[in-house]
PDB file of all heavy atoms in Angstrom:
ATOM      1  N   LEU V   1    -112.702-216.840 212.695  1.00 98.00           N
ATOM      2  CA  LEU V   1    -113.302-218.166 212.576  1.00 98.00           C
ATOM      3  C   LEU V   1    -113.054-218.793 211.211  1.00 98.00           C
ATOM      4  O   LEU V   1    -112.754-219.989 211.111  1.00 98.00           O
ATOM      5  CB  LEU V   1    -114.815-218.092 212.825  1.00 98.00           C
ATOM      6  CG  LEU V   1    -115.292-217.624 214.205  1.00 98.00           C
ATOM      7  CD1 LEU V   1    -116.811-217.649 214.253  1.00 98.00           C
ATOM      8  CD2 LEU V   1    -114.697-218.469 215.315  1.00 98.00           C
ATOM      9  N   PHE V   2    -113.194-217.995 210.164  1.00 98.00           N
ATOM     10  CA  PHE V   2    -113.160-218.538 208.803  1.00 98.00           C
ATOM     11  C   PHE V   2    -111.895-218.174 208.024  1.00 98.00           C
ATOM     12  O   PHE V   2    -111.628-218.766 206.980  1.00 98.00           O
ATOM     13  CB  PHE V   2    -114.396-218.062 208.031  1.00 98.00           C
ATOM     14  CG  PHE V   2    -115.695-218.444 208.680  1.00 98.00           C
ATOM     15  CD1 PHE V   2    -116.494-217.494 209.295  1.00 98.00           C
ATOM     16  CD2 PHE V   2    -116.118-219.764 208.705  1.00 98.00           C
ATOM     17  CE1 PHE V   2    -117.687-217.840 209.904  1.00 98.00           C
ATOM     18  CE2 PHE V   2    -117.313-220.124 209.313  1.00 98.00           C
ATOM     19  CZ  PHE V   2    -118.103-219.161 209.916  1.00 98.00           C
ATOM     20  N   HIS V   3    -111.128-217.210 208.539  1.00 98.00           N
ATOM     21  CA  HIS V   3    -109.900-216.791 207.846  1.00 98.00           C
ATOM     22  C   HIS V   3    -108.785-216.565 208.856  1.00 98.00           C
ATOM     23  O   HIS V   3    -107.991-215.635 208.735  1.00 98.00           O
ATOM     24  CB  HIS V   3    -110.167-215.519 207.035  1.00 98.00           C
ATOM     25  CG  HIS V   3    -111.271-215.670 206.031  1.00 98.00           C
ATOM     26  ND1 HIS V   3    -111.106-216.266 204.803  1.00 98.00           N
ATOM     27  CD2 HIS V   3    -112.597-215.340 206.114  1.00 98.00           C
ATOM     28  CE1 HIS V   3    -112.258-216.285 204.153  1.00 98.00           C
ATOM     29  NE2 HIS V   3    -113.182-215.730 204.930  1.00 98.00           N
ATOM     30  N   GLY V   4    -108.739-217.459 209.857  1.00 98.00           N
ATOM     31  CA  GLY V   4    -107.731-217.338 210.896  1.00 98.00           C
ATOM     32  C   GLY V   4    -106.315-217.574 210.418  1.00 98.00           C
ATOM     33  O   GLY V   4    -105.361-217.257 211.137  1.00 98.00           O
ATOM     34  N   ASP V   5    -106.158-218.101 209.220  1.00 98.00           N
ATOM     35  CA  ASP V   5    -104.821-218.240 208.651  1.00 98.00           C
ATOM     36  C   ASP V   5    -104.286-216.902 208.160  1.00 98.00           C
ATOM     37  O   ASP V   5    -103.071-216.759 207.947  1.00 98.00           O
ATOM     38  CB  ASP V   5    -104.833-219.242 207.499  1.00 98.00           C
ATOM     39  CG  ASP V   5    -105.845-218.884 206.415  1.00 98.00           C
ATOM     40  OD1 ASP V   5    -106.809-218.143 206.719  1.00 98.00           O
ATOM     41  OD2 ASP V   5    -105.682-219.345 205.272  1.00 98.00           O
ATOM     42  N   PHE V   6    -105.153-215.908 207.994  1.00 98.00           N
ATOM     43  CA  PHE V   6    -104.729-214.592 207.498  1.00 98.00           C
ATOM     44  C   PHE V   6    -104.788-213.546 208.605  1.00 98.00           C
ATOM     45  O   PHE V   6    -103.832-212.805 208.823  1.00 98.00           O
ATOM     46  CB  PHE V   6    -105.615-214.171 206.319  1.00 98.00           C
ATOM     47  CG  PHE V   6    -105.187-212.870 205.696  1.00 98.00           C
ATOM     48  CD1 PHE V   6    -104.137-212.837 204.792  1.00 98.00           C
ATOM     49  CD2 PHE V   6    -105.827-211.683 206.024  1.00 98.00           C
ATOM     50  CE1 PHE V   6    -103.725-211.632 204.213  1.00 98.00           C
ATOM     51  CE2 PHE V   6    -105.425-210.478 205.462  1.00 98.00           C
ATOM     52  CZ  PHE V   6    -104.374-210.458 204.556  1.00 98.00           C
ATOM     53  N   TYR V   7    -105.923-213.446 209.297  1.00 98.00           N
ATOM     54  CA  TYR V   7    -106.087-212.462 210.366  1.00 98.00           C
ATOM     55  C   TYR V   7    -105.584-213.064 211.680  1.00 98.00           C
ATOM     56  O   TYR V   7    -105.991-214.171 212.066  1.00 98.00           O
ATOM     57  CB  TYR V   7    -107.547-212.052 210.500  1.00 98.00           C
ATOM     58  CG  TYR V   7    -108.066-211.284 209.305  1.00 98.00           C
ATOM     59  CD1 TYR V   7    -108.768-211.928 208.289  1.00 98.00           C
ATOM     60  CD2 TYR V   7    -107.861-209.909 209.190  1.00 98.00           C
ATOM     61  CE1 TYR V   7    -109.256-211.218 207.194  1.00 98.00           C
ATOM     62  CE2 TYR V   7    -108.347-209.202 208.102  1.00 98.00           C
ATOM     63  CZ  TYR V   7    -109.039-209.856 207.103  1.00 98.00           C
ATOM     64  OH  TYR V   7    -109.516-209.159 206.024  1.00 98.00           O
ATOM     65  N   LYS V   8    -104.722-212.338 212.380  1.00 98.00           N
ATOM     66  CA  LYS V   8    -104.066-212.867 213.574  1.00 98.00           C
ATOM     67  C   LYS V   8    -104.711-212.404 214.876  1.00 98.00           C
ATOM     68  O   LYS V   8    -104.522-213.049 215.908  1.00 98.00           O
ATOM     69  CB  LYS V   8    -102.583-212.453 213.572  1.00 98.00           C
ATOM     70  CG  LYS V   8    -101.833-212.818 212.294  1.00 98.00           C
ATOM     71  CD  LYS V   8    -101.962-214.295 211.951  1.00 98.00           C
ATOM     72  CE  LYS V   8    -101.174-214.643 210.692  1.00 98.00           C
ATOM     73  NZ  LYS V   8    -101.410-216.034 210.239  1.00 98.00           N
ATOM     74  N   ALA V   9    -105.409-211.280 214.861  1.00 98.00           N
ATOM     75  CA  ALA V   9    -105.995-210.743 216.088  1.00 98.00           C
ATOM     76  C   ALA V   9    -107.189-209.867 215.734  1.00 98.00           C
ATOM     77  O   ALA V   9    -107.193-209.216 214.679  1.00 98.00           O
ATOM     78  CB  ALA V   9    -104.966-209.934 216.873  1.00 98.00           C
ATOM     79  N   GLY V  10    -108.198-209.832 216.614  1.00 98.00           N
ATOM     80  CA  GLY V  10    -109.380-209.028 216.335  1.00 98.00           C
ATOM     81  C   GLY V  10    -110.031-208.497 217.593  1.00 98.00           C
ATOM     82  O   GLY V  10    -110.080-209.186 218.617  1.00 98.00           O
ATOM     83  N   VAL V  11    -110.551-207.265 217.513  1.00 98.00           N
ATOM     84  CA  VAL V  11    -111.351-206.671 218.576  1.00 98.00           C
ATOM     85  C   VAL V  11    -112.776-206.546 218.037  1.00 98.00           C
ATOM     86  O   VAL V  11    -113.031-205.784 217.093  1.00 98.00           O
ATOM     87  CB  VAL V  11    -110.822-205.298 219.012  1.00 98.00           C
ATOM     88  CG1 VAL V  11    -111.719-204.705 220.093  1.00 98.00           C
ATOM     89  CG2 VAL V  11    -109.388-205.414 219.522  1.00 98.00           C
ATOM     90  N   ALA V  12    -113.693-207.306 218.630  1.00 98.00           N
ATOM     91  CA  ALA V  12    -115.085-207.355 218.189  1.00 98.00           C
ATOM     92  C   ALA V  12    -115.949-206.667 219.235  1.00 98.00           C
ATOM     93  O   ALA V  12    -116.024-207.116 220.378  1.00 98.00           O
ATOM     94  CB  ALA V  12    -115.525-208.799 217.984  1.00 98.00           C
ATOM     95  N   MET V  13    -116.603-205.571 218.847  1.00 96.00           N
ATOM     96  CA  MET V  13    -117.406-204.785 219.768  1.00 96.00           C
ATOM     97  C   MET V  13    -118.888-204.904 219.440  1.00 96.00           C
ATOM     98  O   MET V  13    -119.286-204.717 218.282  1.00 96.00           O
ATOM     99  CB  MET V  13    -116.982-203.314 219.710  1.00 96.00           C
ATOM    100  CG  MET V  13    -115.549-203.079 220.141  1.00 96.00           C
ATOM    101  SD  MET V  13    -115.037-201.334 220.063  1.00 96.00           S
ATOM    102  CE  MET V  13    -114.753-201.157 218.295  1.00 96.00           C
ATOM    103  N   ALA V  14    -119.689-205.237 220.459  1.00 96.00           N
ATOM    104  CA  ALA V  14    -121.156-205.208 220.357  1.00 96.00           C
ATOM    105  C   ALA V  14    -121.660-205.980 219.145  1.00 96.00           C
ATOM    106  O   ALA V  14    -122.574-205.545 218.456  1.00 96.00           O
ATOM    107  CB  ALA V  14    -121.651-203.762 220.301  1.00 96.00           C
ATOM    108  N   GLY V  15    -121.079-207.132 218.884  1.00 97.00           N
ATOM    109  CA  GLY V  15    -121.401-207.859 217.663  1.00 97.00           C
ATOM    110  C   GLY V  15    -122.705-208.623 217.725  1.00 97.00           C
ATOM    111  O   GLY V  15    -123.122-209.117 218.774  1.00 97.00           O
ATOM    112  N   CYS V  16    -123.342-208.758 216.562  1.00 96.00           N
ATOM    113  CA  CYS V  16    -124.523-209.621 216.403  1.00 96.00           C
ATOM    114  C   CYS V  16    -124.011-210.975 215.913  1.00 96.00           C
ATOM    115  O   CYS V  16    -124.160-211.322 214.749  1.00 96.00           O
ATOM    116  CB  CYS V  16    -125.529-209.006 215.436  1.00 96.00           C
ATOM    117  SG  CYS V  16    -124.827-208.298 213.922  1.00 96.00           S
ATOM    118  N   TYR V  17    -123.399-211.734 216.803  1.00 98.00           N
ATOM    119  CA  TYR V  17    -122.613-212.905 216.421  1.00 98.00           C
ATOM    120  C   TYR V  17    -123.451-214.085 215.969  1.00 98.00           C
ATOM    121  O   TYR V  17    -122.944-214.972 215.299  1.00 98.00           O
ATOM    122  CB  TYR V  17    -121.723-213.326 217.586  1.00 98.00           C
ATOM    123  CG  TYR V  17    -120.843-212.215 218.095  1.00 98.00           C
ATOM    124  CD1 TYR V  17    -121.031-211.673 219.359  1.00 98.00           C
ATOM    125  CD2 TYR V  17    -119.836-211.676 217.296  1.00 98.00           C
ATOM    126  CE1 TYR V  17    -120.234-210.650 219.821  1.00 98.00           C
ATOM    127  CE2 TYR V  17    -119.035-210.645 217.748  1.00 98.00           C
ATOM    128  CZ  TYR V  17    -119.244-210.134 219.021  1.00 98.00           C
ATOM    129  OH  TYR V  17    -118.449-209.110 219.470  1.00 98.00           O
ATOM    130  N   ASP V  18    -124.697-214.119 216.373  1.00 98.00           N
ATOM    131  CA  ASP V  18    -125.626-215.146 215.897  1.00 98.00           C
ATOM    132  C   ASP V  18    -126.882-214.422 215.470  1.00 98.00           C
ATOM    133  O   ASP V  18    -127.589-213.841 216.296  1.00 98.00           O
ATOM    134  CB  ASP V  18    -125.928-216.166 216.992  1.00 98.00           C
ATOM    135  CG  ASP V  18    -126.714-217.358 216.465  1.00 98.00           C
ATOM    136  OD1 ASP V  18    -127.751-217.146 215.794  1.00 98.00           O
ATOM    137  OD2 ASP V  18    -126.301-218.504 216.724  1.00 98.00           O
ATOM    138  N   ASN V  19    -127.178-214.452 214.186  1.00 98.00           N
ATOM    139  CA  ASN V  19    -128.254-213.630 213.645  1.00 98.00           C
ATOM    140  C   ASN V  19    -129.634-214.049 214.135  1.00 98.00           C
ATOM    141  O   ASN V  19    -130.591-213.289 214.014  1.00 98.00           O
ATOM    142  CB  ASN V  19    -128.189-213.630 212.121  1.00 98.00           C
ATOM    143  CG  ASN V  19    -126.851-213.120 211.612  1.00 98.00           C
ATOM    144  OD1 ASN V  19    -125.964-213.907 211.300  1.00 98.00           O
ATOM    145  ND2 ASN V  19    -126.682-211.811 211.577  1.00 98.00           N
ATOM    146  N   ARG V  20    -129.733-215.221 214.729  1.00 98.00           N
ATOM    147  CA  ARG V  20    -130.997-215.641 215.328  1.00 98.00           C
ATOM    148  C   ARG V  20    -131.255-214.910 216.643  1.00 98.00           C
ATOM    149  O   ARG V  20    -132.385-214.865 217.123  1.00 98.00           O
ATOM    150  CB  ARG V  20    -130.987-217.159 215.560  1.00 98.00           C
ATOM    151  CG  ARG V  20    -130.933-217.962 214.281  1.00 98.00           C
ATOM    152  CD  ARG V  20    -130.555-219.403 214.520  1.00 98.00           C
ATOM    153  NE  ARG V  20    -129.185-219.558 214.994  1.00 98.00           N
ATOM    154  CZ  ARG V  20    -128.509-220.711 214.994  1.00 98.00           C
ATOM    155  NH1 ARG V  20    -129.090-221.810 214.536  1.00 98.00           N
ATOM    156  NH2 ARG V  20    -127.267-220.768 215.450  1.00 98.00           N
ATOM    157  N   MET V  21    -130.197-214.338 217.216  1.00 98.00           N
ATOM    158  CA  MET V  21    -130.311-213.607 218.480  1.00 98.00           C
ATOM    159  C   MET V  21    -130.560-212.124 218.268  1.00 98.00           C
ATOM    160  O   MET V  21    -130.876-211.398 219.207  1.00 98.00           O
ATOM    161  CB  MET V  21    -129.023-213.780 219.289  1.00 98.00           C
ATOM    162  CG  MET V  21    -128.857-215.139 219.910  1.00 98.00           C
ATOM    163  SD  MET V  21    -130.022-215.382 221.264  1.00 98.00           S
ATOM    164  CE  MET V  21    -129.394-214.175 222.433  1.00 98.00           C
ATOM    165  N   ASP V  22    -130.399-211.646 217.057  1.00 98.00           N
ATOM    166  CA  ASP V  22    -130.426-210.214 216.770  1.00 98.00           C
ATOM    167  C   ASP V  22    -131.823-209.792 216.320  1.00 98.00           C
ATOM    168  O   ASP V  22    -132.727-210.609 216.168  1.00 98.00           O
ATOM    169  CB  ASP V  22    -129.374-209.909 215.704  1.00 98.00           C
ATOM    170  CG  ASP V  22    -129.076-208.436 215.553  1.00 98.00           C
ATOM    171  OD1 ASP V  22    -129.304-207.680 216.518  1.00 98.00           O
ATOM    172  OD2 ASP V  22    -128.632-208.029 214.464  1.00 98.00           O
ATOM    173  N   LYS V  23    -131.975-208.517 216.050  1.00 98.00           N
ATOM    174  CA  LYS V  23    -133.257-207.923 215.690  1.00 98.00           C
ATOM    175  C   LYS V  23    -133.825-208.531 214.411  1.00 98.00           C
ATOM    176  O   LYS V  23    -133.087-208.897 213.490  1.00 98.00           O
ATOM    177  CB  LYS V  23    -133.107-206.409 215.555  1.00 98.00           C
ATOM    178  CG  LYS V  23    -132.208-205.990 214.393  1.00 98.00           C
ATOM    179  CD  LYS V  23    -131.804-204.547 214.480  1.00 98.00           C
ATOM    180  CE  LYS V  23    -130.759-204.324 215.531  1.00 98.00           C
ATOM    181  NZ  LYS V  23    -129.466-205.003 215.257  1.00 98.00           N
ATOM    182  N   ILE V  24    -135.146-208.611 214.333  1.00 98.00           N
ATOM    183  CA  ILE V  24    -135.809-209.255 213.205  1.00 98.00           C
ATOM    184  C   ILE V  24    -135.563-208.523 211.891  1.00 98.00           C
ATOM    185  O   ILE V  24    -135.344-209.148 210.848  1.00 98.00           O
ATOM    186  CB  ILE V  24    -137.323-209.392 213.486  1.00 98.00           C
ATOM    187  CG1 ILE V  24    -138.012-210.224 212.406  1.00 98.00           C
ATOM    188  CG2 ILE V  24    -137.987-208.029 213.654  1.00 98.00           C
ATOM    189  CD1 ILE V  24    -139.477-210.528 212.723  1.00 98.00           C
TER     190      ILE V  24
END
């Protein structure tokens, strides 16, 4: 999202992608 000019591919497993959705 923020460094797509450098990183070309990613495997994201079980991510807490929005911290409002994750544990307190």
Side-chain angles (χ1 to χ4, degrees):
L1 298 181
F2 302 108
H3 303 280
D5 56 338
F6 184 81
Y7 293 97
K8 307 306 182 187
V11 178
M13 297 180 282
C16 44
Y17 305 113
D18 189 309
N19 302 97
R20 295 165 293 196
M21 286 289 293
D22 194 24
K23 66 194 75 64
I24 187 173

